């Protein structure tokens, strides 16, 4: 792959200074063929080394029992894939439990992460005193690392010592809610913390999108006597369509790849109910040294996400028709 | 979950290694005589060959790390022809990092390792045999506690020289005990004393024994109790999981009933058992010996530490141990190996200073010396050495232990009955053990 590019690059030597127009034309044609490849080369090299090659290696790993420390890494064909789907293997239960956990988290968090930031953006798009300050405040949690917010919320949400339960108790609500250790509270906490943490990012993207919508359209809508809701429905939403598609797609992928929050806040409890797919893949591949199995899981998971993303794009295309 | 030393340190083990690589090759090492003699391969008695640089990796990220580095400094000044440099990582990252580093030739020469990791790393050819070190230094079981000494062996070969051991201890909050009318200088030692103390505490409005559902430290408490009840986690060949036997279920039931009977709150969070102990909301906690130094930083807390009370039919305590290992190098440099052996021998003899870091020295002579006895808290846990329950030596056992701890988690959070949780855990553990047998050919 990269070799081909090198050949192309080698051919694209700078042409000698042209003496005549004819020669200049000829050399321009010759460079003309190589130029696009030259421009593409840096990206293609990076993509080849860090994108394509790992994918091919991953496929290669997934058909072996691969422990890079053991001398023999036997070829096992599709066994790594089969055991993900055969209920008597050691990994079957954990694997589908992690898929379930990821699905629950994605289904619960994506709608909130799409709608809440949109509301925020609409508010922050109006002009009022202190607007910049509020924009900064809502964006602030996003700059913190997952380790920081994980630790912070785990202590705040502790069932017996946490501030959250103490405050709830002070206003007469139940003060022994197991926010991070039992169901359904664990999911509520994970989703809530994630919304608090990442809403600011989506809100900023929405804000940029809102500012791209031409004010004339709103003016015209007002002239026609459109209510605020109608203006939102017929001007704002269609204007935001590409931004919405981007936000939904990236948010679905981000939620499906959730790892840090459950690793730190619930630690997978109760049992391993909140252990996500990515966490489980890391555990299998890096800690239990079953790289072959982990690679098979990654590929199955990537295919699942691809299906979801394609469905997502389709859905939006339909609405345009 | 890989067993590592401090729950507080696990919190940030998100794969972001704090590579506090501290190079300790002192500037004063230039005076070493560079007579290139033959390497003295005498298993660590002395080293007279040319100067060698040794890399050592460990996971001592807490106060113990400073003590360790001071010891290495002392070694370097005493040995002109050996220069040891230390790199410290979080234990969690460390065990992920080490195999790759070793196989690519960027690994350390000496690696400090927990006893339960030795078999895995030996089976995978990361570390070398050290039988000759033990023989030449005339080390034998008599110099060490038998439990610790046997733990360094895998497939009848020695891979680790034990440095220390760190058991679970019984911490009691004297202030809280006084509040409930208990004698703060007589911590309970039997099942009857323990339960009656809890009843008194409950009368005084204190839930005296917070049971955490997490490995640190509820899972380790259950591990100790399971052994106290005479049960085992695995059969002798480590081919089958046995932690759902009747005594194991009884031990689990006793512990989970602490929550049901209100001696512990439900849903105890990670570290909440320990934090509540320090803040006087909890009277008893079974926690690692490493918390001694942490508690000493809080003079306002009045506490004591003792061997675990005997709740079951025999005394037992969860324990692990740090071992020295020598990493296989692609270019087998005999001089480096000899130098490494000298270092291991020297440090094991100087393990008294190491004890101040909150560990029980593995060497008997150190343990029985007056100086060690002058560390009252730490030496009070030394008796546990005789009956400590170390995890068995089997490669790939880490993931099986995770299954065990997750089973307890389900029982402690009331997701399943103790019997159901342990039955489910065992059936999964058996599949994992079978996978490991196929993989490691054991």
């Amino acid at each position: 792959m990269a070799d081909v590019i090198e050949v192309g690059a080698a051919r694209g030597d700078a042409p000698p200074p042209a003496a005549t127009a004819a020669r200049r034309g000829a050399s321009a044609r010759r460079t003309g063929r190589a130029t696009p490849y030259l421009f593409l080369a840096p990206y293609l090299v990076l993509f080849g080394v860090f994108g394509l090659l790992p994918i091919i290696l991953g496929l290669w790993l997934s058909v072996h029992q691969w422990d890079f420390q053991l001398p023999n890494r036997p070829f096992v064909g599709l066994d790594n894939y089969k055991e993900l789907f055969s209920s008597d293997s050691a990994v079957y239960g954990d694997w589908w439990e992690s898929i379930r956990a990821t699905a629950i988290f994605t289904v619960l968090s994506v709608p909130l992460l799409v709608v809440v930031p949109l509301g925020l953006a609409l508010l922050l798009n109006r002009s009022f005193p202190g607007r910049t300050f509020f924009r900064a405040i809502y964006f602030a949690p996003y700059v913190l690392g997952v380790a920081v917010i994980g630790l912070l919320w785990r202590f705040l949400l502790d069932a017996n010592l946490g501030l959250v339960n103490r405050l709830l108790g002070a206003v007469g609500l139940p003060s022994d809610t197991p926010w991070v250790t039992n169901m359904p509270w664990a999911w509520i906490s994970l989703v809530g913390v994630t919304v608090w943490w990442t809403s600011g990012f989506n809100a900023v993207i929405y804000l940029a999108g809102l500012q791209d919508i031409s004010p004339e359209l709103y003016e015209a809508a007002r002239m026609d006597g459109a209510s605020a809701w109608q203006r939102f429905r017929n001007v704002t939403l269609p204007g935001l369509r590409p931004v919405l598609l981007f936000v939904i797609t990236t948010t679905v992928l981000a939620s499906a790849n959730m790892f840090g929050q459950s690793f730190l806040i619930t630690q997978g409890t109760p049992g391993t109910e909140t252990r996500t797919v990515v966490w489980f893949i890391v555990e299998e591949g890096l800690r239990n040294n079953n790289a072959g199995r982990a690679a098979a899981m990654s590929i199955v998971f990537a295919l699942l996400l691809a299906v979801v993303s394609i469905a997502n794009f389709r859905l939006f295309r339909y609405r345009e028709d | 979950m890989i067993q590592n030393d401090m729950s507080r340190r696990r919190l940030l083990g998100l794969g972001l290694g704090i590579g506090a690589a501290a190079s300790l090759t002192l500037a004063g090492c230039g005076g070493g005589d560079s007579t290139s003699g033959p390497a003295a391969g005498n298993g660590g008695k002395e080293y007279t060959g040319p100067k060698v640089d040794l890399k050592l990796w460990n996971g001592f990220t807490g106060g113990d790390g400073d003590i360790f580095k001071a010891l290495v400094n002392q070694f370097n000044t005493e040995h002109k022809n050996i220069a040891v440099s230390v790199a410290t990582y979080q234990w969690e990252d460390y065990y992920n990092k080490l195999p790759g580093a070793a196989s690519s030739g960027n690994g350390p020469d000496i690696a400090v390792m927990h006893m339960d990791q030795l078999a895995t790393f030996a089976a995978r050819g990361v570390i070398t045999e050290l039988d000759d070190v033990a023989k030449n230094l005339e080390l034998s079981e008599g110099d060490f506690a038998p439990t610790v000494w046997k733990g360094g062996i895998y497939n009848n070969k020695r891979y680790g020289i034990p440095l220390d051991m760190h058991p679970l201890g019984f911490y009691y909050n004297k202030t809280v005990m006084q509040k409930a009318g208990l004698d703060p200088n007589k911590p309970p030692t039997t099942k009857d004393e323990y339960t009656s103390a809890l009843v008194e505490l409950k009368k005084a409005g204190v839930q005296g024994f917070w049971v955490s559902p997490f490995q640190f430290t509820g899972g380790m408490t259950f591990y100790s109790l399971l052994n106290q009840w005479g049960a085992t986690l695995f059969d002798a060949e480590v081919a089958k999981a046995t932690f759902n036997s009747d005594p194991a279920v009884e031990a689990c039931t006793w512990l989970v009933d602490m929550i049901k009977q209100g001696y512990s709150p439900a849903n105890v969070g990670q570290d909440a058992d320990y934090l509540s102990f320090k803040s006087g909301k909890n009277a008893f906690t079974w926690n690692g010996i490493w918390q001694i130094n942490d508690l000493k930083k809080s003079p306002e807390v009045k506490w004591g530490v003792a061997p675990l009370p005997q709740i079951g039919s025999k005394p037992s305590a969860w324990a692990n141990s740090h071992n020295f290992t020598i990493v296989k190098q692609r270019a087998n440099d005999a001089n480096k190996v000899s130098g490494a052996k000298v270092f291991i021998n020297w440090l094991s003899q100087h393990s008294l200073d190491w004890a101040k870091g909150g560990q029980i020295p593995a060497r008997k002579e150190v343990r029985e010396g007056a100086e060690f006895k002058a560390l009252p808290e730490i030496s009070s846990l030394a008796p546990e050495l005789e009956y400590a329950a170390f995890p068995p030596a089997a490669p790939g056992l880490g993931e099986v232990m995770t299954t065990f701890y997750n089973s307890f988690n389900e029982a402690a959070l009331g997701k399943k009955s103790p019997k159901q949780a342990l039955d489910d855990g065992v059936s999964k553990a058996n599949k994992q053990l079978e996978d490991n047998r196929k993989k490691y050919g054991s």
Side-chain angles (χ1 to χ4, degrees):
Chain A
M1 175 94 206
D3 290 345
V4 180
I5 296 159
E6 301 295 25
V7 174
R11 282 224 333 257
D13 290 334
T20 66
R23 269 183 60 193
R24 200 165 41 229
S27 70
R29 260 202 309 280
R30 211 173 50 236
T31 4
R33 270 199 296 275
T35 310
Y37 293 105
L38 271 177
F39 276 107
L40 280 174
Y43 171 76
L44 278 177
V45 169
L46 284 175
F47 173 75
V49 174
F50 296 105
L52 203 62
L53 196 66
I55 292 172
I56 294 165
L57 270 175
L59 283 166
W60 175 252
L61 292 186
S62 74
V63 291
H64 292 79
Q65 183 180 305
W66 193 278
D67 182 330
F68 71 103
Q69 277 289 305
L70 291 178
N72 56 335
R73 297 163 193 159
F75 175 81
V76 292
L78 295 177
D79 281 5
N80 283 327
Y81 293 93
K82 280 183 199 149
E83 64 181 8
L84 298 181
F85 297 94
S86 66
S87 56
D88 58 354
S89 75
V91 72
Y92 176 88
D94 283 343
W95 163 246
W96 289 106
E97 187 182 49
S98 74
I99 292 268
R100 183 173 160 266
T102 303
I104 291 174
F105 179 79
T106 309
V107 167
L108 292 177
S109 67
V110 169
L112 286 168
L113 287 169
V114 169
V115 173
V116 170
L118 180 57
L120 264 180
L122 289 170
L123 285 173
L124 296 171
N125 201 28
R126 311 175 82 95
S127 52
F128 57 92
R131 185 175 72 168
T132 317
F133 169 74
F134 279 103
R135 282 183 182 179
I137 284 289
Y138 282 113
F139 187 74
Y142 187 77
V143 304
L144 298 172
V146 70
V148 178
I149 65 120
L151 215 53
L152 179 77
W153 282 103
R154 204 185 75 203
F155 284 117
L156 288 173
L157 293 168
D158 188 288
N160 301 296
L161 306 170
L163 189 67
V164 172
N165 271 346
R166 188 171 309 174
L167 291 175
L168 290 174
V171 296
L173 291 163
S175 63
D176 57 353
T177 311
W179 290 108
V180 293
T181 46
N182 252 317
M183 290 298 165
W185 312 105
W187 285 125
I188 293 170
S189 303
L190 287 171
V191 170
V193 168
T194 308
V195 169
W196 169 84
W197 183 37
T198 60
S199 281
F201 182 73
N202 282 352
V204 167
I205 295 172
Y206 280 131
L207 266 177
L210 286 173
Q211 283 158 6
D212 271 350
I213 299 172
S214 154
E216 284 92 354
L217 294 175
Y218 287 109
E219 222 166 290
R222 272 204 193 82
M223 295 286 214
D224 293 340
S227 67
W229 168 249
Q230 285 169 320
R231 287 201 300 274
F232 172 74
R233 186 65 202 77
N234 299 305
V235 180
T236 312
L237 273 186
L240 280 180
R241 175 163 296 165
V243 177
L244 260 175
L245 175 63
F246 173 80
V247 166
I248 290 176
T249 309
T250 51
T251 307
V252 167
L253 293 178
S255 286
N257 284 311
M258 192 271 269
F259 164 70
Q261 295 93 305
S262 61
F263 186 79
L264 290 163
I265 298 173
T266 65
Q267 299 179 66
T269 54
T272 45
E273 266 190 76
T274 53
R275 181 165 63 182
T276 58
V277 172
V278 176
W279 176 358
F280 189 52
I281 289 173
V282 168
E283 183 125 345
E284 272 301 309
L286 295 178
R287 181 152 310 148
N288 303 339
N289 293 302
N290 299 320
R293 181 187 285 169
M297 288 183 199
S298 310
I299 285 159
V300 172
F301 187 52
L303 290 174
L304 280 173
L305 290 186
V307 168
V308 171
S309 295
I310 290 166
N312 204 351
F313 277 95
R314 279 280 156 90
L315 207 72
F316 269 76
R317 198 167 307 148
Y318 271 114
R319 288 177 49 191
E320 267 172 56
D321 296 339
Chain B
M1 184 92 13
I2 282 169
Q3 297 185 345
N4 59 356
D5 262 356
M6 283 180 123
S7 46
R8 281 178 299 116
R9 291 188 212 155
R10 285 183 45 225
L11 306 181
L12 299 172
L14 249 185
L16 310 164
I18 301 176
S23 183
L24 291 164
T25 40
L26 293 178
C29 289
D33 61 318
S34 52
T35 45
S36 299
N42 58 2
K45 271 210 173 86
E46 55 182 352
Y47 173 69
T48 54
K51 187 164 187 295
V52 284
D53 288 312
L54 297 176
K55 282 187 294 186
L56 181 144
W57 283 16
N58 66 33
F60 301 131
T61 49
D64 46 5
D66 300 333
I67 294 175
F68 191 85
K69 279 171 193 160
L71 281 164
V72 172
N73 271 333
Q74 191 189 336
F75 173 85
N76 282 338
T77 47
E78 286 178 25
H79 297 76
K80 291 294 176 229
N81 55 351
I82 307 175
V84 179
S85 60
V86 180
T88 304
Y89 303 93
Q90 298 270 356
W91 284 118
E92 295 231 352
D93 299 328
Y94 178 89
Y95 290 122
N96 292 344
K97 217 187 268 273
L98 188 59
S103 67
S104 67
N106 299 316
D109 304 288
I110 307 169
V112 180
M113 211 174 273
H114 286 99
M115 186 192 280
D116 56 338
Q117 297 287 334
L118 289 172
T120 305
F121 281 92
R124 309 167 90 223
V126 179
I127 51 180
T128 56
E129 296 157 26
L130 298 175
D131 285 298
D132 65 329
V133 180
K135 210 164 75 206
N136 286 315
L137 299 174
E138 286 154 14
L139 299 176
S140 67
E141 201 170 294
D143 301 320
F144 294 86
T147 41
V148 179
W149 183 244
K150 289 195 181 98
I153 295 173
Y154 166 67
N155 268 355
N156 301 323
K157 295 194 182 70
R158 170 159 301 282
Y159 286 92
I161 301 286
L163 166 68
D164 62 35
M165 83 131 194
H166 38 278
L168 218 55
F170 172 56
Y171 294 83
Y172 48 99
N173 186 315
K174 293 182 175 178
T175 319
V176 178
M177 284 175 82
Q178 262 168 321
K179 208 167 68 176
L182 298 166
D183 183 350
N185 297 316
K186 284 184 72 181
T189 55
T190 64
K191 187 176 180 176
D192 292 340
E193 286 173 13
Y194 200 71
T195 40
S196 65
L198 289 176
V199 170
E200 292 306 313
L201 284 158
K202 201 174 164 184
K203 281 182 198 157
V206 179
Q207 293 178 303
F209 178 40
W210 288 36
V211 177
S212 141
F214 297 98
Q215 175 184 349
F216 284 83
T217 55
M220 289 141 99
T221 302
F222 172 50
Y223 179 105
S224 311
L225 287 169
L226 182 144
N227 283 286
Q228 288 197 1
W229 251 264
T232 55
L233 270 82
F234 308 102
D235 63 6
E237 292 79 42
V238 199
K240 283 268 179 283
T242 54
F243 55 81
N244 63 341
S245 61
D246 290 346
V249 174
E250 272 174 47
C252 188
T253 307
W254 183 84
L255 192 53
V256 172
D257 281 350
M258 290 286 124
I259 303 169
K260 287 200 181 133
Q261 294 161 0
Y263 300 125
S264 160
N267 296 297
V268 174
Q270 176 70 56
D271 296 337
D273 44 347
Y274 182 64
L275 295 171
S276 58
F277 174 85
K278 276 167 87 170
S279 61
K281 291 193 178 78
N282 177 12
F284 302 144
T285 181
W286 298 24
N287 211 314
I289 190 171
W290 52 83
Q291 300 291 33
I292 288 175
N293 283 344
D294 184 65
L295 282 164
K296 282 184 173 170
K297 290 179 201 152
S298 313
E300 73 283 1
V301 183
K302 299 281 173 279
W303 57 280
V305 64
L308 296 185
Q310 185 189 327
I311 309 292
S313 55
K314 60 174 200 182
S316 184
W318 174 95
N320 208 327
S321 138
H322 293 119
N323 280 249
F324 284 118
T325 63
I326 294 186
V327 177
K328 270 190 189 156
Q329 301 298 339
R330 288 196 300 187
N332 206 349
D333 183 342
N335 288 340
K336 279 199 170 188
V337 175
S338 309
K341 288 173 178 173
V342 171
F343 172 80
I344 291 174
N345 183 34
W346 183 91
L347 205 91
S348 132
Q349 282 165 338
H350 288 72
S351 56
L352 176 66
D353 295 311
W354 184 234
K356 291 169 188 159
Q359 310 275 344
I360 297 171
R363 281 218 187 188
K364 207 169 181 173
E365 54 180 30
V366 179
R367 222 170 39 243
E368 287 173 355
E371 286 183 81
F372 177 65
K373 296 211 163 78
L375 304 166
E377 294 94 353
I378 291 169
S379 58
S380 75
L381 294 183
E384 292 187 331
L385 257 178
E386 301 309 322
Y387 51 75
F390 290 96
L397 205 69
E399 56 201 282
V400 192
M401 290 303 294
T402 303
T403 301
F404 166 77
Y405 287 122
N406 284 340
S407 306
F408 174 71
N409 180 283
E410 290 174 334
L413 289 173
K415 224 184 113 177
K416 294 176 183 168
S417 71
K419 174 137 186 62
Q420 187 64 49
L422 295 176
D423 280 346
D424 292 353
V426 161
S427 71
K428 189 172 135 191
N430 283 338
K431 287 173 190 166
Q432 289 174 314
L433 288 168
E434 197 182 334
D435 279 0
N436 279 344
R437 264 200 305 284
K438 279 187 210 148
K439 184 168 155 182
Y440 296 102
S442 52

